[in-house]
Amino acid sequence: MRFPLGEMTVGDILDRGLKLLFARLPAFYALYLFMLAPVILLQLVIPFLLEAMINDLNAAGAGQGGAAFDPTNLILFFAVYMLAMVLTIVLVTIGNAAVLHIIMEEYQGNRVGVGSALGYALGRFFPLLGVSLLFGLMVGVGILFCCVPGFYLLATYMFVTQVVVLERRGVGEALTRSAELADGYRWRVLGVYLLVTLVSGFAQGFVVQVLGFVLPGQEMIPGPGGRMQIKVNVVNSIINTVVGNLVSIVFSAYLAVCVTLLYLDLRIRKEGFDLELAALRGEEGEFDPPPRRRRPRDEDDDYDDDDRPRRRRDEDDDYDDDRGRR
């Protein structure tokens, strides 16, 4: 897929992001599903642990047979939950890098497969993981301080992932480079990011809420003595988990595409990166240097007889010295 080169408006970024998302959606899905499979499997265990933990709480609260609450299931629940979070950070980091490689290659007019993109991502895993953790920590701490510092840091270091993956730079260089690109455009960067995040979050939340209403994962039922107790529906919880992850993949990929297009737009505005992209594409037209003008014949000076084009001998007119003097 080839897009017109040049600066992009916000509408261009959103529109091209959708086109690129749907053009490579199978590849994005394959990458994220492959990377998130261990996380999804762990999440499927959580409803069973939650059911056991709530049953223990209900039994302890009802005082059945003097039963006391057993914290084992609670400990297992939080252990699995934390392990799922850590795996998500690690595996999504690799998936994001692979997706960024696909996006960049598509914008250059090249098409790469899932295996090639995954191999490229693994080569940048450690610097990408380091910069992702540092970026999340800085923004998270900044959000705690009245949100303003967090939004400033978010807009300033928005492109650290793109710099590490696409420009193959280290953690420190990525932070400096992202700040340089965002300088003078922080409001635009933050606006595009919040717009895509809010719209995606609203759409994703709507799907999850509707699904939870149709297939509730938990419900209140009357217990012993007329007390209301929580009952976990394991089947519904598993369905909600699987569908929620499938929906999340679409919006996560779209956000990655839009942020990468915004990164390319800033490079085009500040560095003339469209000329480099045109050269990589091998395109002709307005990006080609203007042709050299041929100088008029009478301006040709300083070349000797050997450099002059020779006329064919049979075309040489026979004229004598007298003619030549006339």
Side-chain angles (χ1 to χ4, degrees), residues 21-320:
L21 172 69
F22 289 120
R24 297 308 309 269
L25 189 58
F28 295 155
Y29 248 111
L31 279 169
Y32 278 122
L33 280 178
F34 177 74
M35 300 310 303
L36 291 177
V39 177
I40 295 176
L41 290 176
L42 279 176
Q43 290 177 346
L44 296 182
V45 176
I46 290 177
F48 294 97
L49 296 175
L50 184 61
E51 181 185 36
M53 183 179 66
I54 290 179
N55 288 339
D56 288 345
L57 287 172
N58 289 336
Q64 298 176 358
F69 175 69
D70 184 3
T72 303
N73 290 319
L74 178 62
I75 295 173
L76 287 175
F77 172 81
F78 280 107
V80 171
Y81 185 80
M82 293 302 297
L83 179 59
M85 287 186 60
V86 172
L87 280 178
T88 300
I89 294 173
V90 173
L91 297 177
V92 167
T93 297
I94 301 174
N96 285 339
V99 167
L100 293 181
H101 181 61
I102 291 176
I103 295 169
M104 187 65 179
E105 291 297 316
E106 284 287 334
Y107 208 81
Q108 294 177 11
N110 302 322
R111 195 172 185 86
V112 296
V114 173
S116 175
L118 191 57
Y120 183 91
L122 290 173
R124 302 299 299 156
F125 171 70
F126 289 106
L128 183 59
L129 179 62
V131 81
S132 298
L133 292 175
L134 183 58
F135 173 69
L137 180 63
M138 288 191 302
V139 173
V141 172
I143 292 293
L144 294 178
F145 293 95
C146 302
C147 293
V148 176
F151 286 133
Y152 178 84
L153 293 172
L154 177 64
T156 301
Y157 301 115
M158 178 79 67
F159 308 111
V160 289
T161 301
Q162 282 73 18
V163 173
V164 168
V165 175
L166 303 179
E167 300 185 30
R168 305 185 68 83
R169 301 199 185 196
V171 175
E173 289 180 317
L175 294 172
T176 303
R177 172 71 167 155
S178 179
E180 291 174 353
L181 288 173
D183 187 32
Y185 292 91
R186 286 185 177 87
W187 283 111
R188 188 170 187 267
V189 170
L190 186 61
V192 172
Y193 179 83
L194 291 179
L195 176 62
V196 176
T197 301
L198 291 176
V199 172
S200 300
F202 176 80
Q204 185 176 349
F206 177 77
V207 173
V208 171
Q209 289 296 325
V210 170
L211 188 62
F213 178 78
V214 176
L215 300 172
Q218 301 175 15
E219 55 185 345
M220 300 296 294
I221 60 172
R227 295 183 55 183
M228 300 301 293
Q229 295 181 344
I230 300 175
K231 177 177 175 58
V232 177
N233 190 315
V234 175
V235 175
N236 288 355
S237 296
I238 290 175
I239 295 174
N240 292 339
T241 298
V242 173
V243 174
N245 278 284
L246 294 178
V247 173
S248 176
I249 286 175
V250 177
F251 294 106
S252 297
Y254 182 58
L255 179 61
V257 172
C258 289
V259 172
T260 303
L261 291 180
L262 185 57
Y263 156 82
L264 293 174
D265 176 61
L266 291 181
R267 290 195 64 183
I268 289 171
R269 292 174 182 270
K270 292 192 168 188
E271 303 169 354
F273 189 54
D274 48 350
L275 301 177
E276 184 176 338
L277 287 174
L280 292 173
R281 289 185 182 183
E283 292 182 352
E284 299 179 354
E286 58 179 313
F287 299 101
D288 290 338
R292 295 181 59 185
R293 281 194 317 164
R294 298 185 63 181
R295 298 170 63 189
R297 183 65 177 265
D298 57 356
E299 292 181 9
D300 291 338
D301 48 10
D302 295 335
Y303 63 85
D304 54 24
D305 292 337
D306 292 335
D307 293 328
R308 291 182 182 274
R310 303 193 180 194
R311 292 192 301 172
R312 294 173 54 184
R313 190 173 187 90
D314 57 354
E315 292 180 0
D316 292 343
D317 296 328
D318 295 330
Y319 62 89
D320 55 18

